[in-house]
Amino acid sequence: QLQASGGGLVQAGDSLRLSCAASGLIFSTYAMGWFRQAPGKEREFVSAINWSTARTSYADSVKGRFTISRDNAKNTVYLQMNSLKPDDTAVYYCAADISYQRVLGGKNKHWGQGTLVTVSS
């Protein structure tokens, strides 16, 4: 199971850190990712990190503002979001799969329940 948390209502320019705690899987062997879905839009890729943290990927829209990280000892992946914009408003989902490529493509096996981030202008 993946349990996301940390969403909330913030103003443009603020920061938030999302967390996703994993259970029931060998976390240190899984690639992890974040996706988001804004109202009326399809779910889109935000960021991913492989099991060893050696590889990370970001959507162009968040590069330089968001940072993904993980703590394998805590079975948790994080998404640090800085300089938030109203366009970042969405439900954020964490994702997990043994395959980093499947996470990149949104074809991962596991999904969290989502946490809402609202950025006001």
Side-chain angles (χ1 to χ4, degrees):
Q1 287 187 341
L2 303 177
Q3 184 73 35
S5 62
L9 173 63
V10 297
Q11 292 187 330
D14 285 351
S15 298
L16 270 179
R17 189 177 79 157
L18 305 183
S19 300
C20 176
S23 61
L25 50 83
I26 304 175
F27 182 78
S28 61
T29 66
Y30 274 69
M32 302 295 295
W34 289 96
F35 288 73
R36 67 187 182 186
Q37 186 167 18
K41 295 186 177 181
E42 294 188 353
R43 186 156 52 188
E44 64 175 3
F45 170 80
V46 175
S47 183
I49 186 168
N50 78 332
W51 67 274
S52 70
T53 76
R55 297 177 68 184
T56 58
S57 295
Y58 297 92
D60 287 344
S61 59
V62 307
K63 274 181 186 175
R65 299 188 298 121
F66 290 11
T67 302
I68 191 170
S69 62
R70 65 189 295 161
D71 185 337
N72 287 344
K74 295 183 178 180
N75 287 1
T76 301
V77 62
Y78 305 98
L79 186 68
Q80 178 66 44
M81 305 186 296
N82 298 331
S83 302
L84 282 161
K85 305 175 181 180
D87 283 350
D88 295 318
T89 295
V91 177
Y92 283 72
Y93 299 90
C94 58
D97 199 281
I98 286 290
S99 165
Y100 182 69
Q101 292 300 319
R102 283 203 290 269
V103 173
L104 290 179
K107 304 297 185 184
N108 44 279
K109 182 176 182 180
H110 305 283
W111 289 99
Q113 88 290 359
T115 185
L116 177 62
V117 173
T118 304
V119 184
S120 64
S121 57

